[in-house]
Amino acid sequence: MPLLDLRGVTKDYKLGKTVVHALRGLDLRIEKGEIVAIMGPSGSGKSTLMHILGCLDVPTSGEASIEESQISSLSEKQLVELRGHKIGFVFQTFNLMQTLSAQQNVELPMIFQGMKKKERAQRATELLTMVGLADRVNHRPNELSGGERQRVAIARALANDPEILFADEPTGNLDSESGGTILELLKRLSTEYGKTVIIVTHDPDAAAIAERIIHLHDGRVVEEVKNA
Amino acid sequence: MLKDFFMLAARSITHRRMRSWLTVIGVFIGITAVVALISVGLGLNKTVEQQVAGVFGVDTFVLVPKGSFGPQRHAGGSSDQYALDLEFLKSIPGVKVAAAVRQRTGFVQGPTKADGTSTQGFLPVMGLSTELVNEFESFTGKLTVQPGGRLFLPEDKDVAVLGADTAERLEAKVGDTLLIAGDANKELNLTVVGIMAPNDEEASTGSSGGFSAGMQPAQSKDTIYVPYDTMSLLWGEASDVLVTLVRTQPGADVDEVADRVEKELNARGSEVSSITYSDISDAIGTMTTTVSAFLAGIAGIALLVGAVGVMNTMFTSVLERTKEIGVMKAVGARNSHILTIFLIESGLMGFVGGVVGTLAGLGLSALASMFIGRFFGVQMAVVASPALILITLAGSFLLGAFAGLWPAWRASKLPVVDALRYE
């Protein structure tokens, strides 16, 4: 049984009077522990796919399931629950809270899960140490470099020990050196910690760390390439 | 978790310092106005009550003509004077001391002058119970006579004390004899035992707490005062009482005794109403509460403007932080979490406005008290009751939270995907 299973998924948006068909009958299966890269030109439906896989949105039609749960049949509360426990997100623009320190940013998902302060502080420190920022725990985002911010974002995504990590253009705002560090970290998360990592990217270097590359075009999977 | 939400809200407020302060100023102006007005209103109430309590004490009540106090005051048909059997009143259980004031206009003939003539005419004659002077000074004010004279003693009968003007007009001095004619050929020769001190500043302001009823020398310079019982010798049984003061037995319930006295006297034909401290206090309370509520209502408009300011700031904040809201939801925040964080944020702004406004309001109230003290000679109490402060602070938090309710609700309902896409 695949971890993520999409069959004939469509997603339509209304933009004024126009209906945009972002996904047009998409089939996709992702196994536990895989690193998968989703590539495609702008407007191909990459982000929409990530939103559905990440339980941020529901399909217009078709079946999308995470483990055995049908995403479209879940209530908003259950979707929140899934996001809180099973899924972590890393964004291109990091999306850290500017008013909080690195540690507090990492603690944020744990706050929403009602974890005790001492417990979450300890876990935040461990995660920041894991991503190589042990000496930056009290720094605010504006005191960190782009690469460091993205590492804080990865630590935040791992806060509730999710099974699946979604990274939306994780190297898009980074120089090649910082980008390389982030990609190494993402690979480590899969190989060492058994996380399923799904990277949405334009960057061939980012796609290179994936075991499988899925190419989208006009809301459909047009090619699947397995990396050697 | 709530503590963490407070931290998140506080961080957001301090991050947008200038805008937050401007919003707080909007709230603080309204709170200042409300607190100052309520505090002044309560202070005024307390001051008047203190003054009335100083006059009444806790064991005294007054009998006035029926309908001359309270809601039926202008009902008509009420007389300025009433009949009274003072001895009967004194015998009613619960009554310790009673003193009354009667007033008539009588024909008066002054002492014979050196040329054999004397001044004569009609003058107000007031009968005062001896107890009035001894027991109810807080009502009458300090009655003082000129040197060489005295006020009434309990055994006095054929004596009189003259108002300063009367003494001058009649050319009478202490030791002289006056003739006063009452009803039906009743007349008495009264020896002048004292002449009231002329109206000086002390007499007019020193007894400001006095329940004058025409008894103060400052107001009655043309009156002749005689002992209460002497009035009966001239005009018979009392049907001309202006006011009666009653002190109850220690431990007696004043309101209960007053009710009983009123009932029993009414049954005997005395058209009287009793006024106790609590009657006056209630009347003053109603009046000052109405005035305070009216003023606070006006100040409430300022508060409303402050609340709209909070709402505006929160809407801007929600708009600016749309992406942040999306991220919070993406990392596991529920709608209720977002709602709570934003409500706390707006509530905190209201609260800070409340703290500053309460301090400023109390300061303003103290200033008003000082101003009133300096220009009107009344030491007005500044009321800063813990209840007022607590209610204001809690109220200002709730006001802020209420003003932020709509923006916070909108923030909580933002679809996560739309929020994440927001630029």
Side-chain angles (χ1 to χ4, degrees), chain B residues 134-347:
Chain B
N134 303 332
E135 301 273 348
F136 296 101
E137 195 178 89
S138 63
F139 280 84
T140 60
K142 179 87 177 154
L143 294 177
T144 48
V145 291
Q146 293 177 15
R150 64 170 174 84
L151 289 168
F152 304 129
L153 300 172
E155 62 274 17
D156 279 341
K157 218 166 215 180
D158 298 338
V159 297
V161 173
L162 305 182
D165 282 3
T166 312
E168 202 175 308
R169 205 181 303 165
L170 296 175
E171 294 182 39
K173 55 189 185 304
V174 173
D176 285 346
T177 302
L178 306 173
L179 175 83
I180 299 183
D183 280 343
N185 300 325
K186 288 175 188 162
E187 53 181 50
L188 284 176
N189 283 309
L190 305 179
T191 308
V192 177
V193 294
I195 295 166
M196 289 290 186
N199 179 21
D200 53 23
E201 200 182 354
E202 195 187 354
S204 64
T205 60
S207 57
S208 56
F211 186 93
S212 71
M215 293 178 288
Q216 284 183 38
Q219 296 177 5
S220 314
K221 285 188 288 190
D222 59 349
T223 305
I224 295 175
Y225 301 94
V226 301
Y228 185 85
D229 292 338
T230 307
M231 290 294 279
S232 308
L233 302 174
L234 291 164
W235 283 283
E237 283 181 8
S239 59
D240 46 17
V241 174
L242 286 175
V243 66
T244 309
L245 306 174
V246 183
R247 179 153 298 141
T248 57
Q249 295 283 5
D253 182 329
V254 183
D255 291 299
E256 198 181 272
V257 175
D259 279 352
R260 193 186 314 144
V261 163
E262 189 179 317
K263 245 181 234 164
E264 296 204 16
L265 288 179
N266 282 337
R268 287 174 73 95
S270 298
E271 300 272 300
V272 294
S273 293
S274 62
I275 306 171
T276 61
Y277 167 68
S278 57
D279 292 332
I280 302 251
S281 175
D282 288 351
I284 292 166
T286 307
M287 189 184 74
T288 50
T289 305
T290 310
V291 172
S292 295
F294 175 70
L295 292 175
I298 293 172
I301 295 169
L303 213 54
L304 194 70
V305 174
V308 172
V310 173
M311 197 183 279
N312 183 34
T313 299
M314 292 310 296
F315 267 124
T316 314
S317 184
V318 169
L319 202 66
E320 275 180 357
R321 290 156 67 194
T322 300
K323 195 151 193 168
E324 199 175 287
I325 293 164
V327 172
M328 284 198 281
K329 285 188 165 191
V331 301
R334 291 184 197 152
N335 287 358
S336 60
H337 293 154
I338 305 290
L339 182 75
T340 311
I341 291 168
F342 275 84
L343 281 184
I344 291 173
E345 189 173 323
S346 58

Side-chain angles (χ1 to χ4, degrees), chain A residues 175-199:
Chain A
D175 59 59
S176 57
E177 194 188 334
S178 303
T181 313
I182 295 299
L183 293 173
E184 266 174 42
L185 186 57
L186 291 173
K187 189 159 177 84
R188 246 178 74 206
L189 290 173
S190 171
T191 54
E192 285 180 33
Y193 298 91
K195 306 286 179 199
T196 306
V197 179
I198 298 164
I199 305 168

